[in-house]
């Protein structure tokens, strides 16, 4: 019981999320491919001397995403090098899925909200002059 309380307080590691998805029936091939991808990315990061920005560690998932078909589609897209855009009504699990995928793949999660009034400047930054040159801020 204590272990359950600690896990709930500290969140779920990528390995724990994979274990839960395994129990949901996510194909072993996808789960193994994600584990392989994470190991290769960690090795490449270490070889390149890459470090995450301060305070941007790999997250622990607050909850485990429940939804085998969505998990399968998301993992297949990411493993094939595609981007993933999560769209839907509030409180449907988009952030939970993103947090789970970040934990599984060993990547930091970056969270941003987009709404009807969001413009390109808010997403990409704006140009300005600095010392006579056009720069993005």
């Amino acid at each position: 019981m204590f272990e359950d309380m600690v896990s709930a307080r500290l969140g779920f590691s990528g390995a724990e999320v994979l274990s839960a998805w395994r129990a949901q029936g996510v194909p072993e091939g996808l789960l193994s491919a994600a584990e392989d991808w994470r190991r290769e990315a960690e090795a490449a990061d270490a070889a390149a001397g890459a470090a995450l920005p301060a305070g941007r560690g790999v997250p622990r998932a607050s909850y485990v995403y429940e939804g085998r078909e969505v998990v399968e589609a998301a993992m297949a897209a990411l493993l094939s090098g595609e981007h993933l855009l999560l769209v839907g009504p509030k409180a449907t699990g988009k952030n939970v899925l993103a947090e789970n995928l970040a934990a599984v793949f060993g990547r930091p999660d970056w969270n941003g909200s987009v709404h009807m009034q969001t413009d390109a400047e808010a997403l990409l930054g704006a140009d300005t002059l600095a010392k006579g040159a056009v720069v993005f801020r």
Side-chain angles (χ1 to χ4, degrees), residues 82-99:
E82 297 296 324
H83 296 280
L84 196 60
L85 176 63
L86 304 175
V87 179
K90 292 180 179 181
T92 54
K94 298 178 298 290
N95 287 334
V96 172
L97 176 60
E99 193 176 67

Side-chain angles (χ1 to χ4, degrees), residues 5-96:
M5 291 179 359
V6 170
S7 186
R9 202 170 334 120
L10 299 178
F12 300 89
S13 68
E16 291 169 322
V17 171
L18 285 172
S19 178
W21 286 350
R22 189 170 280 116
Q24 290 180 34
V26 174
E28 189 60 39
L30 282 175
L31 301 173
S32 296
E35 291 172 318
D36 292 344
W37 191 97
R38 180 178 181 149
R39 276 192 294 276
E40 290 172 15
E42 287 172 347
D45 289 348
L52 294 173
R56 295 300 313 178
V58 175
R60 291 180 62 85
S62 301
Y63 307 95
V64 173
Y65 185 84
E66 301 277 341
R68 183 186 51 79
E69 292 176 0
V70 173
V71 168
E72 288 177 16
M75 289 183 71
L78 293 174
L79 288 166
S80 63
E82 297 296 324
H83 296 280
L84 196 60
L85 176 63
L86 304 175
V87 179
K90 292 180 179 181
T92 54
K94 298 178 298 290
N95 287 334
V96 172

